[in-house]
Each structure stands twice: as structure tokens, then as C-alpha cells.
Amino acid sequence: MKIARVLGSATLSRMHPAMLASSLRCVEVVERIEDLSNKVPGNDLIVAWDLCGCGVGDLVALAEGPEAAAPFKPDVKPIDASIVAILDHLEIDQKN
């Protein structure tokens, strides 16, 4: 699981039938602790299925790979990333 920031939404004009009623968000993975306060996109964008109703600027927990589709079992969804939580507060101990 990774921390990501929501940058916007994605809209599909054509889609797999399993994607009907999906809510897709464009997210950027936060690679370093120092980037938590950086609001300027600098990493690759990922389109993720939004399971939580997040908004632009929210920090979220991002599941990737087979785990991204796990909440939909036994239905099969053609996704590789999903937003599984909105992070309200992060407390990071930077002591070694």
C-alpha cells in the first residue's frame, strides 16, 4: 500500500462493462516524507478506482496490483489501482 495525493478525475468515453458507475481519480504517489507538503505534481500519474469518495488534494491509501481488485470479489474488475482509504492524519516519527 502506498500514500498518494489526488490531483483530479478521469472520465471514460468507452469502457469495459465492469467499469460502469466507476469513479476514477488521477493520483500521484508520494515517494518521500518531504513530498507530503509539496503540492506540485512531480511523479507519474496513476488512474485509480475511487472506493472512498475522495476529492482533489486529499491524501489517500492506494492499493495496486491484484489487491486493488480484491474488494470486488467475486466480480472481476479490470483495474490495477484503487483508493481504499482517505488519510485524515499522518504521524511520522523521523527518529532513527
Side-chain angles (χ1 to χ4, degrees), residues 6-75:
V6 179
L7 300 177
S9 297
T11 304
L12 304 175
S13 60
R14 298 180 73 186
M15 69 198 82
H16 187 278
M19 299 293 288
L20 290 175
S22 64
S23 185
L24 301 175
R25 301 287 182 248
C26 297
V27 299
E28 171 189 42
V29 174
V30 177
E31 305 256 341
R32 304 175 310 146
I33 294 171
E34 295 81 20
D35 292 340
L36 284 172
S37 60
N38 185 5
K39 302 290 185 193
V40 178
N43 299 321
D44 292 337
L45 292 181
I46 297 171
V47 176
W49 190 305
D50 180 9
L51 297 172
C52 302
C54 59
V56 173
D58 285 344
L59 287 176
V60 296
L62 183 71
E64 294 183 294
E67 293 80 15
F72 302 103
K73 285 185 179 179
D75 293 339

Side-chain angles (χ1 to χ4, degrees), residues 74-90:
D75 293 339
V76 176
K77 301 287 184 186
I79 60 173
D80 191 44
S82 62
I83 297 167
V84 296
I86 298 173
L87 305 174
D88 293 323
H89 175 75
L90 292 175

